[in-house]
Coordinates of all heavy atoms in Angstrom, one line a residue:
M6 N 1.6 75.7 85.1 CA 1.8 77.0 84.3 C 2.1 78.1 85.3 O 1.3 78.3 86.2 CB 0.5 77.3 83.5 CG 0.8 78.2 82.4 SD -0.7 78.4 81.3 CE -0.8 76.8 80.5
P7 N 3.2 78.8 85.2 CA 3.5 79.8 86.1 C 2.6 81.1 86.0 O 2.1 81.4 84.9 CB 5.0 80.2 85.8 CG 5.3 79.5 84.5 CD 4.2 78.6 84.2
S8 N 2.5 81.8 87.1 CA 1.8 83.0 87.1 C 2.7 84.2 87.0 O 3.8 84.3 87.7 CB 1.0 83.1 88.5 OG 0.5 84.4 88.7
Y9 N 2.4 85.1 86.1 CA 3.2 86.3 85.9 C 2.4 87.6 86.3 O 1.2 87.6 86.1 CB 3.6 86.4 84.4 CG 4.5 85.3 84.0 CD1 4.0 84.1 83.4 CD2 5.9 85.4 84.2 CE1 4.8 83.1 83.0 CE2 6.7 84.3 83.8 CZ 6.1 83.2 83.2 OH 7.0 82.2 82.8
S10 N 3.1 88.5 86.8 CA 2.5 89.8 87.2 C 2.7 90.8 86.1 O 3.7 90.9 85.5 CB 3.1 90.3 88.5 OG 2.8 89.5 89.6
F11 N 1.6 91.6 85.9 CA 1.7 92.7 84.9 C 1.2 93.9 85.5 O 0.4 93.9 86.4 CB 0.7 92.3 83.7 CG 1.2 91.2 82.9 CD1 0.9 89.9 83.2 CD2 2.1 91.4 81.8 CE1 1.4 88.8 82.4 CE2 2.6 90.4 81.0 CZ 2.2 89.1 81.4
Q12 N 1.8 95.1 85.1 CA 1.4 96.4 85.6 C 1.3 97.3 84.4 O 2.2 97.4 83.6 CB 2.4 96.9 86.6 CG 2.0 98.2 87.2 CD 2.8 98.5 88.4 OE1 3.9 98.0 88.6 NE2 2.4 99.5 89.2
C13 N 0.2 98.0 84.3 CA 0.0 98.9 83.2 C 0.5 100.3 83.6 O 0.8 100.6 84.7 CB -1.5 99.0 82.7 SG -2.5 100.0 83.7
S14 N 0.5 101.3 82.6 CA 1.0 102.6 82.8 C 0.0 103.4 83.8 O 0.5 104.3 84.4 CB 1.1 103.3 81.5 OG -0.1 103.3 80.8
A15 N -1.2 103.0 83.8 CA -2.2 103.6 84.8 C -2.0 103.1 86.2 O -2.7 103.6 87.1 CB -3.6 103.4 84.2
G16 N -1.3 102.0 86.4 CA -1.1 101.5 87.7 C -1.8 100.3 88.1 O -1.7 99.8 89.2
C17 N -2.7 99.8 87.2 CA -3.4 98.5 87.4 C -2.3 97.4 87.5 O -1.4 97.3 86.8 CB -4.4 98.2 86.3 SG -5.4 99.6 85.8
R18 N -2.6 96.5 88.5 CA -1.6 95.4 88.6 C -2.5 94.1 88.7 O -3.5 94.0 89.4 CB -0.8 95.6 89.9 CG 0.4 94.7 90.0 CD 1.2 95.1 91.2 NE 2.4 94.3 91.2 CZ 3.6 94.7 90.8 NH1 3.8 95.9 90.4 NH2 4.6 93.9 90.8
Y19 N -2.1 93.1 87.9 CA -2.8 91.8 88.0 C -1.9 90.7 87.6 O -0.8 90.9 87.1 CB -4.0 91.9 87.0 CG -3.6 92.1 85.6 CD1 -3.4 91.0 84.7 CD2 -3.5 93.3 85.0 CE1 -3.1 91.2 83.4 CE2 -3.1 93.5 83.7 CZ -2.9 92.5 82.9 OH -2.6 92.6 81.6
D20 N -2.3 89.5 87.9 CA -1.5 88.3 87.6 C -2.2 87.5 86.5 O -3.5 87.5 86.4 CB -1.4 87.4 88.8 CG -0.6 88.0 89.9 OD1 0.2 88.9 89.6 OD2 -0.7 87.6 91.1
A21 N -1.4 86.9 85.7 CA -2.0 86.1 84.6 C -1.1 84.8 84.4 O 0.1 84.8 84.7 CB -2.0 86.9 83.3
L22 N -1.8 83.7 84.0 CA -1.1 82.5 83.7 C -0.6 82.4 82.3 O -1.4 82.6 81.4 CB -2.0 81.3 84.1 CG -2.4 81.2 85.6 CD1 -3.3 80.0 85.8 CD2 -1.1 81.0 86.4
Y23 N 0.6 82.1 82.1 CA 1.2 81.8 80.7 C 2.2 80.7 80.8 O 2.8 80.5 81.8 CB 1.9 83.1 80.2 CG 1.0 84.2 79.8 CD1 0.8 85.3 80.6 CD2 0.4 84.2 78.5 CE1 0.0 86.3 80.2 CE2 -0.4 85.3 78.1 CZ -0.6 86.3 79.0 OH -1.4 87.4 78.6
S24 N 2.3 80.0 79.7 CA 3.4 79.0 79.7 C 4.7 79.8 79.6 O 4.7 80.9 79.1 CB 3.2 78.1 78.5 OG 3.5 78.7 77.3
M25 N 5.8 79.2 80.0 CA 7.1 79.9 80.0 C 7.5 80.3 78.7 O 8.2 81.3 78.5 CB 8.1 79.0 80.7 CG 7.8 78.8 82.2 SD 9.0 77.7 83.0 CE 10.4 78.8 83.2
S26 N 7.1 79.5 77.6 CA 7.6 79.9 76.3 C 6.7 80.9 75.6 O 7.1 81.5 74.6 CB 7.6 78.6 75.4 OG 6.3 78.1 75.3
E27 N 5.5 81.2 76.2 CA 4.6 82.1 75.5 C 4.3 83.3 76.3 O 3.4 84.1 76.0 CB 3.3 81.4 75.2 CG 3.4 80.2 74.2 CD 2.2 79.4 74.1 OE1 1.2 79.7 74.8 OE2 2.1 78.6 73.2
V28 N 5.0 83.6 77.4 CA 4.7 84.8 78.2 C 5.2 86.0 77.4 O 6.3 86.1 77.0 CB 5.4 84.7 79.6 CG1 6.9 84.6 79.5 CG2 5.0 85.9 80.4
P29 N 4.2 87.0 77.3 CA 4.6 88.2 76.5 C 5.3 89.2 77.5 O 5.1 89.2 78.7 CB 3.3 88.8 76.0 CG 2.3 88.3 77.1 CD 2.8 87.0 77.6
T30 N 6.1 90.1 77.0 CA 6.7 91.2 77.8 C 5.7 92.3 77.9 O 5.8 93.1 78.9 CB 8.0 91.7 77.2 OG1 7.7 92.1 75.9 CG2 9.1 90.6 77.2
E31 N 4.8 92.4 77.0 CA 3.8 93.5 77.0 C 2.5 93.0 76.5 O 2.4 92.2 75.6 CB 4.2 94.7 76.1 CG 3.5 96.0 76.4 CD 4.2 97.2 75.9 OE1 5.5 97.1 75.8 OE2 3.6 98.1 75.4
T32 N 1.4 93.4 77.2 CA 0.0 92.9 76.8 C -1.0 94.0 77.1 O -0.6 95.1 77.6 CB -0.3 91.6 77.6 OG1 -1.6 91.1 77.2 CG2 -0.4 91.9 79.1
V33 N -2.2 93.7 76.8 CA -3.3 94.7 77.0 C -3.8 94.5 78.5 O -4.1 93.4 78.9 CB -4.5 94.4 76.0 CG1 -5.6 95.4 76.3 CG2 -4.0 94.6 74.6
C34 N -4.0 95.7 79.2 CA -4.4 95.6 80.6 C -5.8 95.1 80.6 O -6.7 95.5 79.8 CB -4.3 97.0 81.1 SG -5.0 97.1 82.8
R35 N -6.1 94.2 81.6 CA -7.4 93.6 81.7 C -8.4 94.7 82.2 O -9.6 94.6 82.0 CB -7.3 92.5 82.8 CG -6.7 91.3 82.3 CD -6.8 90.3 83.4 NE -6.2 89.0 83.0 CZ -5.9 88.0 83.8 NH1 -6.2 88.2 85.1 NH2 -5.4 86.9 83.4
E36 N -7.9 95.6 83.0 CA -8.9 96.5 83.7 C -9.2 97.8 82.9 O -10.3 98.2 82.8 CB -8.3 96.8 85.1 CG -8.2 95.6 85.9 CD -7.6 95.8 87.3 OE1 -7.7 97.0 87.8 OE2 -7.0 94.9 87.8
C37 N -8.1 98.4 82.3 CA -8.3 99.7 81.6 C -8.1 99.6 80.1 O -8.4 100.5 79.4 CB -7.5 100.8 82.3 SG -5.7 100.6 81.9
G38 N -7.6 98.5 79.7 CA -7.3 98.4 78.2 C -6.1 99.0 77.7 O -5.8 98.9 76.5
G39 N -5.3 99.6 78.6 CA -4.0 100.2 78.2 C -3.0 99.1 78.0 O -3.2 97.9 78.1
S40 N -1.7 99.6 77.8 CA -0.6 98.6 77.6 C 0.0 98.3 79.0 O 0.3 99.2 79.7 CB 0.4 99.3 76.6 OG 1.6 99.3 77.2
A41 N 0.1 97.0 79.2 CA 0.7 96.6 80.5 C 2.0 95.8 80.3 O 2.0 94.9 79.4 CB -0.3 95.7 81.2
R42 N 3.0 96.1 81.1 CA 4.3 95.5 80.9 C 4.4 94.4 82.0 O 3.8 94.5 83.1 CB 5.4 96.5 81.1 CG 5.4 97.4 79.9 CD 6.6 98.4 80.0 NE 7.9 97.6 80.0 CZ 8.6 97.3 78.9 NH1 8.1 97.7 77.7 NH2 9.7 96.6 79.0
R43 N 5.2 93.4 81.7 CA 5.4 92.3 82.7 C 6.3 92.9 83.8 O 7.3 93.6 83.6 CB 6.1 91.2 82.0 CG 6.1 89.9 82.8 CD 6.7 88.8 82.0 NE 7.7 88.1 82.8 CZ 8.6 87.3 82.3 NH1 8.7 87.2 81.0 NH2 9.5 86.7 83.1
A44 N 5.9 92.7 85.1 CA 6.6 93.1 86.2 C 7.5 92.0 86.8 O 7.1 90.9 86.7 CB 5.6 93.6 87.3
I45 N 8.6 92.4 87.2 CA 9.6 91.5 87.8 C 9.2 91.3 89.3 O 9.1 92.3 90.0 CB 11.0 91.9 87.7 CG1 11.4 92.2 86.2 CG2 12.0 90.9 88.3 CD1 11.2 91.0 85.3
T46 N 8.9 90.1 89.7 CA 8.6 89.8 91.1 C 9.5 88.8 91.7 O 10.1 88.0 90.9 CB 7.1 89.4 91.2 OG1 6.9 88.2 90.4 CG2 6.1 90.5 90.7
A47 N 9.4 88.7 93.0 CA 10.2 87.7 93.7 C 9.6 86.3 93.5 O 8.3 86.2 93.5 CB 10.3 88.0 95.1
P48 N 10.4 85.3 93.3 CA 9.7 83.9 93.1 C 9.1 83.5 94.5 O 9.5 84.0 95.5 CB 10.9 83.0 92.7 CG 12.1 83.8 93.2 CD 11.8 85.2 93.1
H49 N 8.2 82.6 94.4 CA 7.5 82.1 95.6 C 8.4 81.1 96.3 O 8.3 79.9 96.0 CB 6.1 81.5 95.2 CG 5.2 82.5 94.6 ND1 4.6 83.4 95.3 CD2 4.9 82.7 93.3 CE1 3.8 84.2 94.5 NE2 4.0 83.7 93.3
L50 N 9.2 81.6 97.2 CA 10.2 80.7 97.9 C 9.7 80.5 99.3 O 10.5 79.9 100.1 CB 11.6 81.4 97.9 CG 12.2 81.5 96.5 CD1 13.6 82.2 96.6 CD2 12.4 80.2 95.8
S51 N 8.5 80.9 99.7 CA 8.1 80.8 101.1 C 8.0 79.4 101.5 O 8.2 79.1 102.7 CB 6.8 81.5 101.3 OG 5.8 80.9 100.5
A52 N 7.8 78.4 100.6 CA 7.7 77.0 101.0 C 9.0 76.3 100.9 O 9.0 75.1 101.0 CB 6.6 76.4 100.1
A53 N 10.1 77.0 100.6 CA 11.4 76.3 100.3 C 11.9 75.5 101.5 O 12.6 74.6 101.4 CB 12.4 77.3 99.8
G54 N 11.6 76.0 102.7 CA 12.1 75.3 103.9 C 11.2 74.3 104.5 O 11.4 73.7 105.5
S55 N 10.1 74.0 103.8 CA 9.0 73.2 104.4 C 9.5 71.7 104.3 O 10.4 71.3 103.6 CB 7.7 73.4 103.7 OG 7.8 72.9 102.4
S56 N 8.8 70.9 105.1 CA 9.1 69.4 105.1 C 8.8 68.8 103.7 O 9.5 67.9 103.3 CB 8.3 68.7 106.1 OG 6.9 68.9 106.0
A57 N 7.8 69.3 103.0 CA 7.5 68.8 101.6 C 8.7 69.1 100.7 O 9.1 68.2 99.9 CB 6.2 69.5 101.1
F58 N 9.3 70.2 100.8 CA 10.4 70.6 99.9 C 11.6 69.7 100.4 O 12.4 69.3 99.5 CB 10.8 72.0 100.0 CG 10.2 72.8 98.9 CD1 8.9 73.1 98.8 CD2 11.1 73.4 97.9 CE1 8.4 73.8 97.7 CE2 10.6 74.1 96.9 CZ 9.2 74.3 96.8
R59 N 11.8 69.5 101.7 CA 12.9 68.7 102.1 C 12.8 67.2 101.6 O 13.8 66.6 101.2 CB 13.0 68.7 103.7 CG 13.7 69.9 104.2 CD 14.2 69.7 105.6 NE 13.1 69.4 106.5 CZ 12.3 70.4 107.1 NH1 12.6 71.6 106.9 NH2 11.3 70.0 107.9
L60 N 11.5 66.7 101.6 CA 11.3 65.4 101.1 C 11.6 65.3 99.6 O 12.3 64.4 99.1 CB 9.9 65.0 101.3 CG 9.4 63.6 100.7 CD1 10.2 62.5 101.4 CD2 8.0 63.4 100.9
L61 N 11.2 66.3 98.8 CA 11.5 66.3 97.4 C 13.0 66.4 97.2 O 13.5 65.7 96.3 CB 10.8 67.5 96.8 CG 9.3 67.4 96.7 CD1 8.7 68.7 96.2 CD2 8.9 66.3 95.7
D62 N 13.7 67.3 97.9 CA 15.1 67.4 97.8 C 15.8 66.1 98.1 O 16.7 65.6 97.4 CB 15.7 68.5 98.7 CG 15.4 69.9 98.2 OD1 14.9 70.0 97.0 OD2 15.5 70.8 98.9
H63 N 15.4 65.4 99.2 CA 16.0 64.2 99.6 C 15.8 63.1 98.6 O 16.7 62.3 98.3 CB 15.5 63.7 101.0 CG 16.1 62.4 101.5 ND1 17.3 62.4 102.0 CD2 15.5 61.2 101.5 CE1 17.5 61.1 102.4 NE2 16.5 60.4 102.0
T64 N 14.6 63.0 98.1 CA 14.3 62.0 97.1 C 15.1 62.2 95.8 O 15.6 61.3 95.2 CB 12.8 62.1 96.7 OG1 12.0 61.9 97.9 CG2 12.4 61.0 95.7
A65 N 15.2 63.5 95.4 CA 16.0 63.7 94.2 C 17.5 63.5 94.4 O 18.2 62.9 93.5 CB 15.8 65.2 93.8
R66 N 18.0 63.8 95.6 CA 19.4 63.6 95.9 C 19.7 62.1 96.0 O 20.7 61.6 95.5 CB 19.7 64.3 97.2 CG 21.2 64.4 97.5 CD 21.6 65.1 98.8 NE 20.7 66.2 99.1 CZ 19.9 66.3 100.1 NH1 19.8 65.3 101.0 NH2 19.1 67.3 100.3
S67 N 18.8 61.3 96.6 CA 19.0 59.9 96.7 C 19.1 59.1 95.4 O 19.6 58.0 95.3 CB 18.0 59.2 97.6 OG 16.8 59.2 97.0
A68 N 18.6 59.8 94.3 CA 18.6 59.1 93.0 C 20.0 59.1 92.4 O 20.4 58.2 91.7 CB 17.7 59.9 92.1
H69 N 20.8 60.1 92.7 CA 22.2 60.2 92.2 C 23.2 60.3 93.3 O 24.4 60.2 92.9 CB 22.3 61.3 91.2 CG 21.9 62.7 91.8 ND1 22.8 63.4 92.4 CD2 20.8 63.3 91.7 CE1 22.2 64.6 92.8 NE2 21.0 64.5 92.4
E70 N 22.9 60.4 94.5 CA 23.8 60.4 95.6 C 23.3 59.5 96.7 O 23.0 59.9 97.8 CB 24.0 61.8 96.2 CG 24.6 62.8 95.3 CD 24.6 64.2 95.9 OE1 24.6 64.3 97.2 OE2 24.6 65.2 95.2
P71 N 23.3 58.2 96.5 CA 22.8 57.3 97.5 C 23.7 57.3 98.8 O 24.9 57.6 98.7 CB 22.9 55.9 96.9 CG 23.8 56.0 95.8 CD 23.8 57.4 95.3
A72 N 23.0 57.1 99.9 CA 23.8 57.2 101.2 C 24.8 56.0 101.2 O 24.5 54.9 100.9 CB 22.8 57.0 102.3
V73 N 26.0 56.3 101.6 CA 27.1 55.4 101.7 C 27.2 54.8 103.1 O 27.2 55.6 104.1 CB 28.4 56.0 101.3 CG1 29.6 55.0 101.4 CG2 28.4 56.5 99.9
V74 N 27.2 53.5 103.3 CA 27.3 52.9 104.6 C 28.7 52.2 104.6 O 29.2 51.7 103.6 CB 26.2 51.9 104.9 CG1 24.8 52.6 104.9 CG2 26.1 50.8 103.8
D75 N 29.3 52.1 105.8 CA 30.6 51.5 106.0 C 30.5 50.2 106.8 O 31.5 49.6 107.1 CB 31.6 52.4 106.6 CG 31.2 53.0 107.9 OD1 30.0 52.7 108.3 OD2 32.0 53.8 108.5
R76 N 29.3 49.9 107.3 CA 29.1 48.6 108.1 C 27.6 48.2 107.9 O 26.8 48.9 107.5 CB 29.4 48.8 109.5 CG 28.5 49.7 110.3 CD 28.9 49.9 111.7 NE 29.8 51.0 111.8 CZ 29.5 52.2 112.3 NH1 28.3 52.4 112.7 NH2 30.4 53.1 112.3
L77 N 27.4 46.9 108.2 CA 26.1 46.3 108.1 C 25.2 46.9 109.2 O 25.8 47.2 110.3 CB 26.1 44.8 108.2 CG 26.8 44.1 107.0 CD1 27.0 42.6 107.3 CD2 26.0 44.3 105.7
P78 N 24.0 47.0 109.0 CA 23.1 47.4 110.1 C 23.2 46.4 111.3 O 23.3 45.2 111.1 CB 21.7 47.5 109.5 CG 21.8 46.8 108.2 CD 23.2 46.7 107.8
S79 N 23.1 46.9 112.5 CA 23.2 46.0 113.7 C 21.9 45.1 113.7 O 20.9 45.4 113.2 CB 23.3 46.8 114.9 OG 22.1 47.5 115.2
Q80 N 22.1 44.0 114.5 CA 21.0 43.0 114.6 C 19.8 43.7 115.3 O 18.7 43.3 115.0 CB 21.5 41.8 115.5 CG 22.5 41.0 114.8 CD 22.0 40.2 113.6 OE1 20.8 39.9 113.5 NE2 22.9 39.9 112.7
G81 N 20.0 44.6 116.3 CA 18.9 45.2 117.0 C 18.1 46.1 116.1 O 17.0 46.4 116.4
A82 N 18.7 46.5 115.0 CA 18.0 47.5 114.1 C 17.0 46.8 113.2 O 16.2 47.4 112.5 CB 19.0 48.2 113.3
R83 N 17.0 45.4 113.2 CA 16.1 44.7 112.3 C 14.7 44.8 112.8 O 14.4 45.0 114.0 CB 16.5 43.2 112.3 CG 17.6 42.9 111.4 CD 17.7 41.5 111.1 NE 18.9 41.2 110.3 CZ 19.4 40.0 110.1 NH1 18.9 39.0 110.7 NH2 20.4 39.9 109.3
R84 N 13.8 44.7 111.9 CA 12.4 44.8 112.2 C 12.0 43.5 112.9 O 12.4 42.5 112.6 CB 11.5 45.0 111.0 CG 11.5 46.3 110.4 CD 10.5 46.4 109.3 NE 10.7 47.6 108.5 CZ 10.1 47.8 107.4 NH1 9.3 46.9 106.8 NH2 10.2 49.0 106.7
P85 N 11.1 43.6 114.0 CA 10.6 42.4 114.6 C 9.7 41.6 113.6 O 9.1 42.2 112.8 CB 9.8 42.9 115.8 CG 9.5 44.3 115.4 CD 10.6 44.8 114.6
Q86 N 9.8 40.3 113.8 CA 9.0 39.4 112.9 C 7.5 39.7 113.2 O 7.1 39.8 114.4 CB 9.3 38.0 113.3 CG 8.8 37.0 112.3 CD 9.7 36.9 111.0 OE1 10.8 37.4 111.0 NE2 9.1 36.5 109.9
R87 N 6.7 39.9 112.2 CA 5.3 40.2 112.3 C 4.6 38.9 112.7 O 4.8 37.9 112.0 CB 4.8 40.8 111.1 CG 5.4 42.2 110.8 CD 4.8 42.8 109.6 NE 3.4 43.1 109.9 CZ 2.6 43.7 109.0 NH1 3.0 43.9 107.8 NH2 1.3 44.0 109.3
V88 N 3.8 38.9 113.7 CA 3.0 37.7 114.1 C 1.6 38.0 113.9 O 1.0 39.0 114.3 CB 3.3 37.4 115.6 CG1 2.5 36.3 116.1 CG2 4.8 37.2 115.8
T89 N 0.9 37.0 113.3 CA -0.5 37.1 113.0 C -1.3 36.1 113.9 O -0.7 35.0 114.1 CB -0.9 37.0 111.6 OG1 -2.3 37.1 111.4 CG2 -0.4 35.7 111.0
T90 N -2.4 36.4 114.3 CA -3.2 35.4 115.1 C -4.4 34.9 114.2 O -5.2 34.1 114.7 CB -3.8 36.1 116.3 OG1 -4.5 37.3 115.9 CG2 -2.7 36.5 117.3
N91 N -4.5 35.3 113.0 CA -5.6 34.8 112.1 C -5.2 33.4 111.7 O -4.2 33.2 111.0 CB -5.7 35.8 110.9 CG -6.9 35.5 110.1 OD1 -7.4 34.3 110.0 ND2 -7.4 36.5 109.4
P92 N -6.1 32.4 111.9 CA -5.8 31.0 111.5 C -5.7 30.8 110.0 O -5.1 29.9 109.5 CB -6.9 30.2 112.2 CG -8.0 31.2 112.5 CD -7.3 32.5 112.7
L93 N -6.4 31.7 109.3 CA -6.3 31.6 107.8 C -5.0 31.9 107.3 O -4.6 31.4 106.2 CB -7.4 32.5 107.2 CG -8.8 32.2 107.5 CD1 -9.8 33.2 106.9 CD2 -9.2 30.8 106.9
H94 N -4.2 32.7 108.0 CA -2.8 33.0 107.5 C -1.9 31.8 107.6 O -0.9 31.8 106.9 CB -2.3 34.2 108.4 CG -3.0 35.5 108.1 ND1 -2.8 36.6 108.8 CD2 -3.9 35.8 107.1 CE1 -3.6 37.6 108.4 NE2 -4.3 37.1 107.3
A95 N -2.2 30.8 108.4 CA -1.4 29.6 108.5 C -1.4 28.8 107.2 O -0.5 28.0 106.9 CB -1.8 28.7 109.6
K96 N -2.4 29.0 106.4 CA -2.5 28.3 105.1 C -1.7 29.0 104.0 O -1.5 28.4 102.9 CB -4.0 28.2 104.6 CG -4.8 27.4 105.6 CD -6.3 27.4 105.1 CE -7.1 26.6 106.1 NZ -8.5 26.6 105.7
L97 N -1.3 30.2 104.2 CA -0.5 30.9 103.2 C 0.9 30.3 103.1 O 1.4 29.8 104.1 CB -0.4 32.4 103.6 CG -1.7 33.2 103.6 CD1 -1.5 34.6 104.1 CD2 -2.3 33.2 102.2
P98 N 1.5 30.4 101.9 CA 2.8 29.8 101.7 C 3.8 30.7 102.5 O 3.7 31.9 102.7 CB 3.1 29.9 100.2 CG 2.1 31.0 99.7 CD 0.9 30.9 100.7
R99 N 4.9 30.0 103.0 CA 5.9 30.7 103.8 C 6.9 31.3 102.8 O 7.3 30.8 101.8 CB 6.7 29.7 104.7 CG 5.8 29.0 105.6 CD 5.5 29.8 106.9 NE 4.5 29.1 107.7 CZ 3.9 29.7 108.7 NH1 4.1 31.0 108.9 NH2 3.0 29.1 109.4
A100 N 7.4 32.5 103.2 CA 8.4 33.2 102.3 C 9.8 32.7 102.6 O 10.1 32.3 103.7 CB 8.3 34.7 102.5
Ligands
LIG201 ZN1 -4.7 99.2 83.5

């Protein structure tokens, strides 16, 4: 639920949570009881360049813009075979 800023005519300023469909343009001030109007504020974009946002963007982009490759991956790029030393693993079926 987004947070909206309100400012009354007396100058009190506070934030309140409303759903986007139910946010009022005018409400009763919490501090003085006067009429408070919704204030226009900048969106919280400070985290827009963070690695979490880049991961979200990359994940969303890969859903409809998958990376295009023009050749098979080289042999050296393959993962090395995992080797286990546990004797119980020898009884497991081979893939
Ligand atoms: Zn007030």
Side-chain angles (χ1 to χ4, degrees):
M6 201 175 289
S8 169
Y9 295 93
S10 294
F11 291 89
Q12 185 168 15
C13 80
S14 52
C17 313
R18 198 175 180 99
Y19 61 93
D20 292 338
L22 296 176
Y23 286 99
S24 71
M25 291 176 76
S26 61
E27 295 175 353
V28 59
T30 55
E31 196 163 326
T32 183
V33 176
C34 177
R35 284 181 182 171
E36 299 175 26
C37 69
S40 126
R42 293 184 59 89
R43 195 173 132 198
I45 305 299
T46 57
H49 298 284
L50 296 177
S51 60
S55 69
S56 58
F58 262 70
R59 279 197 300 274
L60 174 64
L61 289 172
D62 286 346
H63 179 77
T64 304
R66 196 179 319 115
S67 69
H69 56 86
E70 293 175 26
V73 177
V74 295
D75 57 356
R76 69 182 85 102
L77 292 172
S79 68
Q80 294 289 336
R83 282 193 181 166
R84 286 187 189 169
Q86 194 77 20
R87 295 182 68 182
V88 177
T89 177
T90 56
N91 189 330
L93 293 174
H94 290 169
K96 297 179 180 176
L97 293 174
R99 302 278 173 196

